[in-house]
C-alpha cells in the first residue's frame, strides 16, 4: 500500500483510509487515482462496469453505455420497420444488439440493422 500511495502522490494513511472505507476520496484524489491506475471512474467509485477502459463488463454486470446504445439502435430500427409488440421478442433483440456493443469491437450499423430485421 505504501508503494501505491507513493505512485499516486497520496499519503499511505489516506490510501489506507480509502481502502478500509473510513473515508471517501475527494474529486481531485479520484482523478489522481484514475490517472495513476488507468481504471474506469465508475468501477473505482462503485465496483460496477469494466475495470479498465476498453474492457468488457464482468460477467453478470451490465455496461450501461452499451445497453443505451443497443436500446437506441433497436428503437430507431423498429420505428422504421414493423412494430415488435411481444416483450420477449423485443428483449431478445435488445440482448443480441447489446452483445454486439458490449464486445468492444467496432459495430457497423448495417450489421445491427440486419440482425434486427432477421429477429423482428
Amino acid at each position: 500500500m505504501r508503494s501505491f500511495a507513493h505512485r499516486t502522490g497520496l499519503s499511505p494513511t489516506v490510501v489506507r483510509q480509502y481502502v478500509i472505507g473510513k473515508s471517501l476520496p475527494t474529486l481531485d484524489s479520484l482523478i489522481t487515482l484514475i490517472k495513476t491506475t488507468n481504471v474506469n471512474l465508475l468501477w473505482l467509485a462503485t465496483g460496477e462496469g469494466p475495470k479498465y477502459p476498453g474492457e468488457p463488463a464482468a460477467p453478470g454486470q451490465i455496461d450501461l453505455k452499451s445497453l443505451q446504445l443497443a436500446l437506441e439502435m433497436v428503437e430507431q430500427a423498429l420505428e422504421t420497420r414493423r412494430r415488435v409488440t411481444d416483450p420477449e421478442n423485443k428483449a431478445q433483440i435488445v440482448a443480441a444488439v447489446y452483445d454486439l456493443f458490449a464486445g468492444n469491437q467496432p459495430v457497423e450499423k448495417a450489421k445491427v440493422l440486419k440482425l434486427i430485421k432477421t429477429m423482428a
Side-chain angles (χ1 to χ4, degrees):
M1 207 176 307
R2 192 176 296 253
S3 69
F4 177 76
H6 179 66
R7 283 193 348 241
T8 62
L10 301 170
S11 77
T13 303
V14 167
V15 171
R16 191 174 305 107
Q17 289 177 346
Y18 295 161
V19 170
I20 64 172
K22 190 172 183 178
S23 67
L24 295 173
T26 64
L27 181 58
D28 288 340
S29 294
L30 274 175
I31 292 169
T32 298
L33 291 168
I34 291 166
K35 287 181 178 179
T36 303
T37 60
N38 193 35
V39 298
N40 283 322
L41 174 61
L42 180 63
W43 179 86
L44 185 62
T46 67
E48 297 175 5
K51 183 175 182 178
Y52 298 103
E55 180 179 82
Q61 289 187 333
I62 293 176
D63 176 14
L64 293 178
K65 183 173 180 166
S66 295
L67 180 59
Q68 179 182 352
L69 289 170
L71 285 170
E72 288 172 0
M73 182 72 73
V74 169
E75 290 296 327
Q76 181 182 24
L78 292 177
E79 282 178 9
T80 60
R81 290 177 174 68
R82 63 188 170 109
R83 292 258 183 229
V84 175
T85 56
D86 178 33
E88 184 177 338
N89 190 19
K90 192 170 185 179
Q92 289 174 346
I93 294 169
V94 171
V97 175
Y98 171 79
D99 285 344
L100 290 175
F101 282 105
N104 290 316
Q105 300 294 324
V107 177
E108 296 175 28
K109 187 174 183 177
K111 284 185 180 181
V112 173
L113 295 175
K114 185 176 179 181
L115 174 66
I116 293 169
K117 184 178 180 183
T118 303
M119 296 183 73

